[in-house]
Amino acid sequence: MGLFDRFRRRRQRPGTLRTSTKADTSHLEEWAAARRGVEAYVEPRTAVTETTVVLIAHDGEWTRRRIDGPEGAKQFARKLSMPVYDVALVGYPQRMRDYTARQRALRKRAEGEGRTD
C-alpha cells in the first residue's frame, strides 16, 4: 500500500450499490465482542443500499453495516452465537429507540452548555 492510498477514493459507478466488505464484517465482529447481549436484526435490501445488519447490545447501543444478503447475516449471527431477527417481521426493540433518544438528549444538553448567549 502506498503512502497516500488510504486517502484515495475508489470510484464507484453511479447507480451501483456498494456491497459488504471485510472491513464491514470486521467492525461487526469487534463491536459484538466488546459488548454483551448482542442480537442481530437483518434489514432488507433497498433501492439505495444492500442488505444490512443492525447489531443491538443489551443496553440498546447499536451499529449498522452492510452484509452479504440475508443468508450472510444468518451465517454471521450463527458464527457468533447470537440470535438473528428479520426487522420486517419483528421491528426494532424498544431498547434501541430508548438508547437513541438518550443519546440525542445528551447531545442537545452538551450543545446547550457550550453556548455563551
Side-chain angles (χ1 to χ4, degrees):
M1 174 167 20
L3 182 61
F4 295 103
D5 285 349
R6 77 172 68 188
F7 299 112
R8 289 190 186 113
R9 287 186 165 212
R10 289 184 219 154
R11 294 286 178 187
Q12 186 174 337
R13 290 190 325 222
T16 60
L17 298 176
R18 186 176 79 78
T19 58
S20 175
T21 65
K22 277 242 187 247
D24 293 327
T25 307
S26 293
H27 169 79
L28 293 170
E29 288 173 353
E30 291 169 13
W31 194 91
R35 287 153 184 85
R36 64 183 176 90
V38 178
E39 298 174 332
Y41 288 80
V42 182
E43 298 175 316
R45 178 183 174 181
T46 67
V48 182
T49 55
E50 286 291 338
T51 302
T52 53
V53 65
V54 179
L55 299 186
I56 305 173
H58 77 285
D59 62 352
E61 183 181 4
W62 59 275
T63 189
R64 172 186 289 121
R65 291 292 185 276
R66 289 175 180 85
I67 195 107
D68 293 328
E71 268 313 304
K74 289 174 188 169
Q75 288 175 0
F76 174 82
R78 273 196 303 269
K79 176 181 164 187
L80 298 180
S81 301
M82 70 175 64
V84 61
Y85 305 100
D86 185 339
V87 158
L89 298 176
V90 300
Y92 297 102
Q94 184 63 44
R95 70 181 185 277
M96 178 185 177
R97 291 188 289 276
D98 293 343
Y99 178 85
T100 302
R102 284 192 309 271
Q103 295 304 307
R104 189 178 305 122
L106 289 171
R107 276 193 305 274
K108 274 186 157 182
R109 188 177 307 143
E111 289 170 6
E113 291 172 359
R115 276 193 234 162
T116 56
D117 290 336

